[in-house]
Amino acid sequence: IYSSLDGNSWHLTRTLPLVNQVNHSNPTGTAAFMGVTPIQNRYLVISSRASWKLARENELPDAPCLVYDYQKDIVVQTFSWGGQSMSVAAIGDGSQILLGNGGEAFIIGQPNLLYQIQERTGGEDGIDLELSDVQLFKGESTLYVPLERVDPTPDSSSEYDSVPRSDITKTRQVKSFPLLDDSSSSEEIVLEVNSAETCNLYYRKNEDYVSMILPLPGSEGYISEFHGGVYARGGDVLMLGDKVFVVLANYNGNNTVYSFDSQWLRDEDVSLAEE
């Protein structure tokens, strides 16, 4: 962590080592931190992953995500053991954390899990993240399975009438956006960037289950004769008036931009076409 709070130039103020770091005697341990989101002006929620080589042995990762108190310079919680967590985002009113898990085209998908932020009781200082009773989808699995290799050929429906559920996706990034430019609005969209699978926008209201899914046509990528697999790696959403713009950054290929009316996220009888 770098800081310029003293009014001078930026300088290093904190260094956080990997927790349960991978080595020869601990091959399932943490290989890298992958994502971070700040909460409550005090904590960082950090996502982690193990080595992709675990898929050769069908093993479960031991790369925990962290809640780090950067004021006290301590890890206050480890959670989500067994996940290959590529991204993390604060969603809703900031009281929930969403982990984007999986992330690699040639590895089996994992569930994207919601956690509720809970203040500690009994006079104890700090917070804990607890697996939420309400996930993105009703009946969604919250179990991680050992990593295994799968066919990396992009998977999609030509008519986009079916999309991967959030519990089996190869998710590279998750990100939340308010649907309206209004901090009191209960409506939000969650961008889910998947590798070799269709990327999706999810519509939520009042932190309830997802009630609308908009798949982004062509976002699953393709196999290039010259470059190999072309897959989405990250994305962003821009709201301009009643228009929604989605930008996807692709590995081995050109970036892609989608646009549509925000009303499409509320209507039930609509489909999305790439522009």
Side-chain angles (χ1 to χ4, degrees):
I1 299 176
Y2 290 82
S3 172
S4 64
L5 292 178
D6 57 7
N8 298 319
S9 60
W10 289 87
H11 58 276
L12 181 66
T13 57
R14 295 279 191 271
T15 300
L16 179 63
L18 296 175
V19 174
N20 195 39
Q21 184 171 359
V22 64
N23 54 47
H24 290 296
S25 60
N26 184 31
T28 62
T30 304
F33 292 141
M34 297 301 298
V36 60
T37 190
I39 56 174
Q40 299 185 1
N41 295 317
R42 177 176 173 180
Y43 304 99
L44 300 178
V45 183
I46 303 171
S47 58
S48 308
R49 72 164 177 83
S51 170
W52 295 113
K53 296 179 181 178
L54 295 184
R56 299 174 182 173
E57 307 296 333
N58 289 11
E59 294 190 79
L60 198 65
D62 283 325
C65 297
L66 315 176
V67 179
Y68 172 64
D69 184 334
Y70 59 80
Q71 293 183 5
K72 295 184 176 181
D73 192 23
I74 57 173
V75 174
V76 298
Q77 183 185 5
T78 60
F79 68 103
S80 190
W81 291 78
Q84 196 75 332
S85 300
M86 303 297 292
S87 178
V88 58
I91 69 171
D93 62 0
S95 63
Q96 293 182 313
I97 293 295
L98 176 61
L99 289 182
N101 299 314
E104 192 58 67
F106 59 87
I107 303 295
I108 192 171
Q110 288 189 320
N112 298 331
L113 299 184
L114 269 175
Y115 288 80
Q116 201 75 31
I117 300 172
Q118 303 286 355
E119 299 290 338
R120 292 179 178 174
T121 59
E124 186 178 0
D125 183 38
I127 63 170
D128 289 304
L129 298 188
E130 298 180 2
L131 195 63
S132 177
D133 292 334
V134 177
Q135 293 294 315
L136 290 181
F137 295 92
K138 189 175 294 186
E140 178 176 341
S141 171
T142 59
L143 298 178
Y144 292 133
V145 296
L147 303 185
E148 63 177 278
R149 295 186 68 91
V150 295
D151 185 355
T153 303
D155 181 24
S156 69
S157 167
S158 60
E159 298 178 355
Y160 297 95
D161 55 1
S162 64
V163 295
R165 287 172 55 93
S166 190
D167 54 2
I168 56 173
T169 52
K170 307 170 186 178
T171 300
R172 200 77 180 192
Q173 182 187 13
V174 287
K175 202 167 184 180
S176 173
F177 306 87
L179 188 56
L180 300 174
D181 188 17
D182 179 0
S183 59
S184 65
S185 174
S186 62
E187 296 178 291
E188 70 174 332
I189 53 177
V190 176
L191 172 63
E192 178 187 80
V193 179
N194 296 321
S195 186
E197 294 174 334
T198 305
C199 302
N200 303 300
L201 288 178
Y202 297 140
Y203 169 77
R204 299 174 78 222
K205 188 173 183 180
N206 299 322
E207 297 186 359
D208 202 351
Y209 296 112
V210 168
S211 59
M212 176 72 68
I213 305 173
L214 268 72
L216 303 177
S219 60
E220 67 279 356
Y222 58 93
I223 303 299
S224 167
E225 179 181 354
F226 301 103
H227 304 294
V230 177
Y231 308 121
R233 283 291 186 261
D236 209 343
V237 173
L238 177 65
M239 307 286 294
L240 292 177
D242 291 331
K243 275 282 190 180
V244 180
F245 294 86
V246 181
V247 182
L248 294 181
N250 296 311
Y251 172 73
N252 273 345
N254 295 328
N255 296 338
T256 310
V257 179
Y258 299 81
S259 66
F260 54 93
D261 292 331
S262 61
Q263 187 62 37
W264 287 22
L265 287 164
R266 301 183 180 95
D267 293 340
E268 296 183 357
D269 300 322
V270 295
S271 60
L272 177 64
E274 182 180 2
E275 292 190 2

